[in-house]
PDB file of all heavy atoms in Angstrom:
ATOM      1  N   ALA A 123    -125.043 -54.516 100.714  1.00 95.00           N
ATOM      2  CA  ALA A 123    -125.020 -55.703 101.570  1.00 95.00           C
ATOM      3  C   ALA A 123    -125.687 -56.912 100.917  1.00 95.00           C
ATOM      4  O   ALA A 123    -125.445 -58.047 101.348  1.00 95.00           O
ATOM      5  CB  ALA A 123    -125.695 -55.401 102.907  1.00 95.00           C
ATOM      6  N   VAL A 124    -126.544 -56.691  99.894  1.00 97.00           N
ATOM      7  CA  VAL A 124    -127.219 -57.838  99.261  1.00 97.00           C
ATOM      8  C   VAL A 124    -126.453 -58.360  98.051  1.00 97.00           C
ATOM      9  O   VAL A 124    -126.912 -59.275  97.370  1.00 97.00           O
ATOM     10  CB  VAL A 124    -128.677 -57.497  98.871  1.00 97.00           C
ATOM     11  CG1 VAL A 124    -129.472 -57.060 100.084  1.00 97.00           C
ATOM     12  CG2 VAL A 124    -128.734 -56.451  97.762  1.00 97.00           C
ATOM     13  N   GLY A 125    -125.306 -57.783  97.763  1.00 97.00           N
ATOM     14  CA  GLY A 125    -124.452 -58.311  96.706  1.00 97.00           C
ATOM     15  C   GLY A 125    -124.817 -57.823  95.314  1.00 97.00           C
ATOM     16  O   GLY A 125    -125.470 -56.807  95.139  1.00 97.00           O
ATOM     17  N   THR A 126    -124.385 -58.605  94.317  1.00 98.00           N
ATOM     18  CA  THR A 126    -124.582 -58.238  92.918  1.00 98.00           C
ATOM     19  C   THR A 126    -125.776 -59.002  92.337  1.00 98.00           C
ATOM     20  O   THR A 126    -125.764 -60.233  92.306  1.00 98.00           O
ATOM     21  CB  THR A 126    -123.327 -58.568  92.099  1.00 98.00           C
ATOM     22  OG1 THR A 126    -122.211 -57.845  92.647  1.00 98.00           O
ATOM     23  CG2 THR A 126    -123.514 -58.192  90.633  1.00 98.00           C
ATOM     24  N   PRO A 127    -126.811 -58.286  91.869  1.00 98.00           N
ATOM     25  CA  PRO A 127    -127.961 -58.973  91.281  1.00 98.00           C
ATOM     26  C   PRO A 127    -127.678 -59.346  89.824  1.00 98.00           C
ATOM     27  O   PRO A 127    -127.004 -58.613  89.103  1.00 98.00           O
ATOM     28  CB  PRO A 127    -129.071 -57.927  91.364  1.00 98.00           C
ATOM     29  CG  PRO A 127    -128.338 -56.620  91.252  1.00 98.00           C
ATOM     30  CD  PRO A 127    -127.000 -56.823  91.914  1.00 98.00           C
ATOM     31  N   ARG A 128    -128.196 -60.485  89.405  1.00 98.00           N
ATOM     32  CA  ARG A 128    -128.067 -60.857  87.999  1.00 98.00           C
ATOM     33  C   ARG A 128    -129.355 -61.544  87.539  1.00 98.00           C
ATOM     34  O   ARG A 128    -129.963 -62.319  88.288  1.00 98.00           O
ATOM     35  CB  ARG A 128    -126.857 -61.764  87.773  1.00 98.00           C
ATOM     36  CG  ARG A 128    -126.852 -63.074  88.532  1.00 98.00           C
ATOM     37  CD  ARG A 128    -125.678 -63.965  88.126  1.00 98.00           C
ATOM     38  NE  ARG A 128    -125.649 -65.204  88.876  1.00 98.00           N
ATOM     39  CZ  ARG A 128    -124.781 -65.463  89.854  1.00 98.00           C
ATOM     40  NH1 ARG A 128    -123.874 -64.567  90.184  1.00 98.00           N
ATOM     41  NH2 ARG A 128    -124.829 -66.629  90.490  1.00 98.00           N
ATOM     42  N   LYS A 129    -129.727 -61.244  86.335  1.00 98.00           N
ATOM     43  CA  LYS A 129    -130.938 -61.818  85.737  1.00 98.00           C
ATOM     44  C   LYS A 129    -130.645 -63.227  85.236  1.00 98.00           C
ATOM     45  O   LYS A 129    -129.710 -63.433  84.471  1.00 98.00           O
ATOM     46  CB  LYS A 129    -131.399 -60.929  84.585  1.00 98.00           C
ATOM     47  CG  LYS A 129    -132.543 -61.469  83.768  1.00 98.00           C
ATOM     48  CD  LYS A 129    -132.843 -60.527  82.605  1.00 98.00           C
ATOM     49  CE  LYS A 129    -133.908 -61.069  81.671  1.00 98.00           C
ATOM     50  NZ  LYS A 129    -134.159 -60.145  80.538  1.00 98.00           N
ATOM     51  N   ILE A 130    -131.462 -64.185  85.679  1.00 98.00           N
ATOM     52  CA  ILE A 130    -131.342 -65.551  85.195  1.00 98.00           C
ATOM     53  C   ILE A 130    -132.305 -65.760  84.026  1.00 98.00           C
ATOM     54  O   ILE A 130    -131.958 -66.348  83.007  1.00 98.00           O
ATOM     55  CB  ILE A 130    -131.630 -66.563  86.320  1.00 98.00           C
ATOM     56  CG1 ILE A 130    -130.696 -66.312  87.504  1.00 98.00           C
ATOM     57  CG2 ILE A 130    -131.494 -67.995  85.812  1.00 98.00           C
ATOM     58  CD1 ILE A 130    -129.230 -66.391  87.190  1.00 98.00           C
ATOM     59  N   ASP A 131    -133.525 -65.288  84.196  1.00 98.00           N
ATOM     60  CA  ASP A 131    -134.525 -65.264  83.132  1.00 98.00           C
ATOM     61  C   ASP A 131    -135.485 -64.133  83.482  1.00 98.00           C
ATOM     62  O   ASP A 131    -135.293 -63.468  84.518  1.00 98.00           O
ATOM     63  CB  ASP A 131    -135.232 -66.625  82.976  1.00 98.00           C
ATOM     64  CG  ASP A 131    -135.995 -67.067  84.219  1.00 98.00           C
ATOM     65  OD1 ASP A 131    -136.717 -66.244  84.811  1.00 98.00           O
ATOM     66  OD2 ASP A 131    -135.864 -68.242  84.599  1.00 98.00           O
ATOM     67  N   PRO A 132    -136.508 -63.849  82.673  1.00 98.00           N
ATOM     68  CA  PRO A 132    -137.370 -62.690  82.937  1.00 98.00           C
ATOM     69  C   PRO A 132    -138.006 -62.652  84.324  1.00 98.00           C
ATOM     70  O   PRO A 132    -138.345 -61.578  84.816  1.00 98.00           O
ATOM     71  CB  PRO A 132    -138.431 -62.781  81.843  1.00 98.00           C
ATOM     72  CG  PRO A 132    -137.722 -63.442  80.707  1.00 98.00           C
ATOM     73  CD  PRO A 132    -136.822 -64.445  81.353  1.00 98.00           C
ATOM     74  N   LEU A 133    -138.145 -63.811  84.980  1.00 98.00           N
ATOM     75  CA  LEU A 133    -138.782 -63.841  86.292  1.00 98.00           C
ATOM     76  C   LEU A 133    -137.914 -64.528  87.345  1.00 98.00           C
ATOM     77  O   LEU A 133    -138.417 -65.027  88.352  1.00 98.00           O
ATOM     78  CB  LEU A 133    -140.144 -64.543  86.194  1.00 98.00           C
ATOM     79  CG  LEU A 133    -141.236 -63.779  85.428  1.00 98.00           C
ATOM     80  CD1 LEU A 133    -142.495 -64.610  85.326  1.00 98.00           C
ATOM     81  CD2 LEU A 133    -141.535 -62.438  86.090  1.00 98.00           C
ATOM     82  N   THR A 134    -136.613 -64.511  87.141  1.00 98.00           N
ATOM     83  CA  THR A 134    -135.693 -65.084  88.126  1.00 98.00           C
ATOM     84  C   THR A 134    -134.474 -64.180  88.280  1.00 98.00           C
ATOM     85  O   THR A 134    -133.870 -63.768  87.287  1.00 98.00           O
ATOM     86  CB  THR A 134    -135.219 -66.488  87.719  1.00 98.00           C
ATOM     87  OG1 THR A 134    -136.349 -67.313  87.440  1.00 98.00           O
ATOM     88  CG2 THR A 134    -134.393 -67.132  88.828  1.00 98.00           C
ATOM     89  N   VAL A 135    -134.138 -63.899  89.527  1.00 98.00           N
ATOM     90  CA  VAL A 135    -132.970 -63.071  89.836  1.00 98.00           C
ATOM     91  C   VAL A 135    -132.138 -63.777  90.895  1.00 98.00           C
ATOM     92  O   VAL A 135    -132.682 -64.353  91.835  1.00 98.00           O
ATOM     93  CB  VAL A 135    -133.380 -61.679  90.363  1.00 98.00           C
ATOM     94  CG1 VAL A 135    -132.154 -60.865  90.766  1.00 98.00           C
ATOM     95  CG2 VAL A 135    -134.180 -60.918  89.323  1.00 98.00           C
ATOM     96  N   GLU A 136    -130.836 -63.735  90.728  1.00 98.00           N
ATOM     97  CA  GLU A 136    -129.925 -64.234  91.756  1.00 98.00           C
ATOM     98  C   GLU A 136    -129.091 -63.090  92.306  1.00 98.00           C
ATOM     99  O   GLU A 136    -128.778 -62.134  91.593  1.00 98.00           O
ATOM    100  CB  GLU A 136    -129.004 -65.320  91.188  1.00 98.00           C
ATOM    101  CG  GLU A 136    -129.668 -66.668  91.048  1.00 98.00           C
ATOM    102  CD  GLU A 136    -128.691 -67.776  90.716  1.00 98.00           C
ATOM    103  OE1 GLU A 136    -127.500 -67.478  90.444  1.00 98.00           O
ATOM    104  OE2 GLU A 136    -129.119 -68.938  90.736  1.00 98.00           O
ATOM    105  N   PHE A 137    -128.731 -63.234  93.570  1.00 98.00           N
ATOM    106  CA  PHE A 137    -127.861 -62.268  94.234  1.00 98.00           C
ATOM    107  C   PHE A 137    -126.578 -62.978  94.638  1.00 98.00           C
ATOM    108  O   PHE A 137    -126.606 -63.934  95.420  1.00 98.00           O
ATOM    109  CB  PHE A 137    -128.545 -61.682  95.467  1.00 98.00           C
ATOM    110  CG  PHE A 137    -129.709 -60.785  95.144  1.00 98.00           C
ATOM    111  CD1 PHE A 137    -130.966 -61.321  94.907  1.00 98.00           C
ATOM    112  CD2 PHE A 137    -129.542 -59.411  95.068  1.00 98.00           C
ATOM    113  CE1 PHE A 137    -132.037 -60.507  94.598  1.00 98.00           C
ATOM    114  CE2 PHE A 137    -130.606 -58.584  94.762  1.00 98.00           C
ATOM    115  CZ  PHE A 137    -131.866 -59.137  94.528  1.00 98.00           C
ATOM    116  N   GLN A 138    -125.471 -62.501  94.100  1.00 98.00           N
ATOM    117  CA  GLN A 138    -124.151 -63.056  94.425  1.00 98.00           C
ATOM    118  C   GLN A 138    -123.507 -62.167  95.483  1.00 98.00           C
ATOM    119  O   GLN A 138    -123.176 -61.004  95.227  1.00 98.00           O
ATOM    120  CB  GLN A 138    -123.273 -63.109  93.180  1.00 98.00           C
ATOM    121  CG  GLN A 138    -121.860 -63.606  93.433  1.00 98.00           C
ATOM    122  CD  GLN A 138    -121.810 -65.070  93.837  1.00 98.00           C
ATOM    123  OE1 GLN A 138    -122.293 -65.928  93.110  1.00 98.00           O
ATOM    124  NE2 GLN A 138    -121.216 -65.346  94.998  1.00 98.00           N
ATOM    125  N   LEU A 139    -123.343 -62.694  96.669  1.00 97.00           N
ATOM    126  CA  LEU A 139    -122.750 -61.925  97.753  1.00 97.00           C
ATOM    127  C   LEU A 139    -121.233 -62.053  97.730  1.00 97.00           C
ATOM    128  O   LEU A 139    -120.694 -63.075  97.317  1.00 97.00           O
ATOM    129  CB  LEU A 139    -123.280 -62.409  99.107  1.00 97.00           C
ATOM    130  CG  LEU A 139    -124.641 -61.887  99.559  1.00 97.00           C
ATOM    131  CD1 LEU A 139    -125.766 -62.409  98.687  1.00 97.00           C
ATOM    132  CD2 LEU A 139    -124.891 -62.237 101.020  1.00 97.00           C
ATOM    133  N   GLU A 140    -120.556 -61.016  98.187  1.00 94.00           N
ATOM    134  CA  GLU A 140    -119.103 -61.076  98.338  1.00 94.00           C
ATOM    135  C   GLU A 140    -118.734 -61.764  99.641  1.00 94.00           C
ATOM    136  O   GLU A 140    -117.671 -62.367  99.764  1.00 94.00           O
ATOM    137  CB  GLU A 140    -118.513 -59.662  98.320  1.00 94.00           C
ATOM    138  CG  GLU A 140    -118.639 -58.945  96.978  1.00 94.00           C
ATOM    139  CD  GLU A 140    -117.970 -57.584  97.009  1.00 94.00           C
ATOM    140  OE1 GLU A 140    -117.269 -57.283  98.000  1.00 94.00           O
ATOM    141  OE2 GLU A 140    -118.144 -56.814  96.046  1.00 94.00           O
ATOM    142  N   ARG A 141    -119.621 -61.648 100.621  1.00 93.00           N
ATOM    143  CA  ARG A 141    -119.371 -62.240 101.939  1.00 93.00           C
ATOM    144  C   ARG A 141    -120.721 -62.590 102.566  1.00 93.00           C
ATOM    145  O   ARG A 141    -121.768 -62.138 102.096  1.00 93.00           O
ATOM    146  CB  ARG A 141    -118.597 -61.267 102.831  1.00 93.00           C
ATOM    147  CG  ARG A 141    -119.269 -59.933 103.014  1.00 93.00           C
ATOM    148  CD  ARG A 141    -118.374 -58.924 103.706  1.00 93.00           C
ATOM    149  NE  ARG A 141    -117.264 -58.533 102.867  1.00 93.00           N
ATOM    150  CZ  ARG A 141    -117.323 -57.548 101.963  1.00 93.00           C
ATOM    151  NH1 ARG A 141    -118.456 -56.879 101.771  1.00 93.00           N
ATOM    152  NH2 ARG A 141    -116.275 -57.245 101.245  1.00 93.00           N
ATOM    153  N   VAL A 142    -120.692 -63.366 103.605  1.00 94.00           N
ATOM    154  CA  VAL A 142    -121.920 -63.775 104.290  1.00 94.00           C
ATOM    155  C   VAL A 142    -122.667 -62.548 104.817  1.00 94.00           C
ATOM    156  O   VAL A 142    -122.059 -61.606 105.337  1.00 94.00           O
ATOM    157  CB  VAL A 142    -121.587 -64.724 105.461  1.00 94.00           C
ATOM    158  CG1 VAL A 142    -122.810 -64.967 106.340  1.00 94.00           C
ATOM    159  CG2 VAL A 142    -121.042 -66.039 104.932  1.00 94.00           C
ATOM    160  N   ASN A 143    -123.983 -62.557 104.662  1.00 96.00           N
ATOM    161  CA  ASN A 143    -124.831 -61.507 105.223  1.00 96.00           C
ATOM    162  C   ASN A 143    -125.890 -62.176 106.086  1.00 96.00           C
ATOM    163  O   ASN A 143    -126.860 -62.733 105.577  1.00 96.00           O
ATOM    164  CB  ASN A 143    -125.491 -60.687 104.115  1.00 96.00           C
ATOM    165  CG  ASN A 143    -126.399 -59.591 104.671  1.00 96.00           C
ATOM    166  OD1 ASN A 143    -126.634 -59.515 105.881  1.00 96.00           O
ATOM    167  ND2 ASN A 143    -126.914 -58.754 103.797  1.00 96.00           N
ATOM    168  N   PRO A 144    -125.741 -62.138 107.414  1.00 95.00           N
ATOM    169  CA  PRO A 144    -126.680 -62.847 108.290  1.00 95.00           C
ATOM    170  C   PRO A 144    -128.082 -62.259 108.319  1.00 95.00           C
ATOM    171  O   PRO A 144    -129.007 -62.908 108.805  1.00 95.00           O
ATOM    172  CB  PRO A 144    -126.014 -62.765 109.669  1.00 95.00           C
ATOM    173  CG  PRO A 144    -125.085 -61.608 109.583  1.00 95.00           C
ATOM    174  CD  PRO A 144    -124.622 -61.537 108.166  1.00 95.00           C
ATOM    175  N   ILE A 145    -128.266 -61.034 107.821  1.00 95.00           N
ATOM    176  CA  ILE A 145    -129.617 -60.461 107.778  1.00 95.00           C
ATOM    177  C   ILE A 145    -129.978 -60.068 106.333  1.00 95.00           C
ATOM    178  O   ILE A 145    -130.602 -59.044 106.080  1.00 95.00           O
ATOM    179  CB  ILE A 145    -129.776 -59.265 108.741  1.00 95.00           C
ATOM    180  CG1 ILE A 145    -128.852 -58.098 108.368  1.00 95.00           C
ATOM    181  CG2 ILE A 145    -129.553 -59.687 110.180  1.00 95.00           C
ATOM    182  CD1 ILE A 145    -129.249 -56.804 109.077  1.00 95.00           C
ATOM    183  N   PHE A 146    -129.602 -60.923 105.397  1.00 97.00           N
ATOM    184  CA  PHE A 146    -129.850 -60.659 103.979  1.00 97.00           C
ATOM    185  C   PHE A 146    -131.322 -60.346 103.698  1.00 97.00           C
ATOM    186  O   PHE A 146    -131.637 -59.371 103.010  1.00 97.00           O
ATOM    187  CB  PHE A 146    -129.405 -61.866 103.148  1.00 97.00           C
ATOM    188  CG  PHE A 146    -129.737 -61.753 101.686  1.00 97.00           C
ATOM    189  CD1 PHE A 146    -128.873 -61.114 100.812  1.00 97.00           C
ATOM    190  CD2 PHE A 146    -130.929 -62.273 101.172  1.00 97.00           C
ATOM    191  CE1 PHE A 146    -129.179 -61.000  99.465  1.00 97.00           C
ATOM    192  CE2 PHE A 146    -131.243 -62.166  99.829  1.00 97.00           C
ATOM    193  CZ  PHE A 146    -130.366 -61.527  98.974  1.00 97.00           C
ATOM    194  N   LEU A 147    -132.239 -61.150 104.214  1.00 96.00           N
ATOM    195  CA  LEU A 147    -133.660 -60.950 103.912  1.00 96.00           C
ATOM    196  C   LEU A 147    -134.193 -59.646 104.493  1.00 96.00           C
ATOM    197  O   LEU A 147    -135.079 -59.012 103.914  1.00 96.00           O
ATOM    198  CB  LEU A 147    -134.483 -62.133 104.422  1.00 96.00           C
ATOM    199  CG  LEU A 147    -134.330 -63.431 103.640  1.00 96.00           C
ATOM    200  CD1 LEU A 147    -135.138 -64.541 104.294  1.00 96.00           C
ATOM    201  CD2 LEU A 147    -134.754 -63.251 102.182  1.00 96.00           C
ATOM    202  N   GLN A 148    -133.659 -59.224 105.633  1.00 95.00           N
ATOM    203  CA  GLN A 148    -134.067 -57.936 106.193  1.00 95.00           C
ATOM    204  C   GLN A 148    -133.564 -56.787 105.330  1.00 95.00           C
ATOM    205  O   GLN A 148    -134.264 -55.787 105.140  1.00 95.00           O
ATOM    206  CB  GLN A 148    -133.566 -57.783 107.629  1.00 95.00           C
ATOM    207  CG  GLN A 148    -134.277 -58.691 108.624  1.00 95.00           C
ATOM    208  CD  GLN A 148    -133.545 -59.987 108.844  1.00 95.00           C
ATOM    209  OE1 GLN A 148    -132.999 -60.578 107.908  1.00 95.00           O
ATOM    210  NE2 GLN A 148    -133.526 -60.465 110.083  1.00 95.00           N
TER     211      GLN A 148
END
Side-chain angles (χ1 to χ4, degrees):
V124 302
T126 301
R128 60 174 178 254
K129 173 183 175 181
I130 304 302
D131 61 45
L133 290 176
T134 307
V135 176
E136 282 190 352
F137 291 84
Q138 177 67 57
L139 279 67
E140 293 183 9
R141 57 189 69 86
V142 170
N143 179 353
I145 63 165
F146 174 87
L147 288 177
Q148 290 94 321

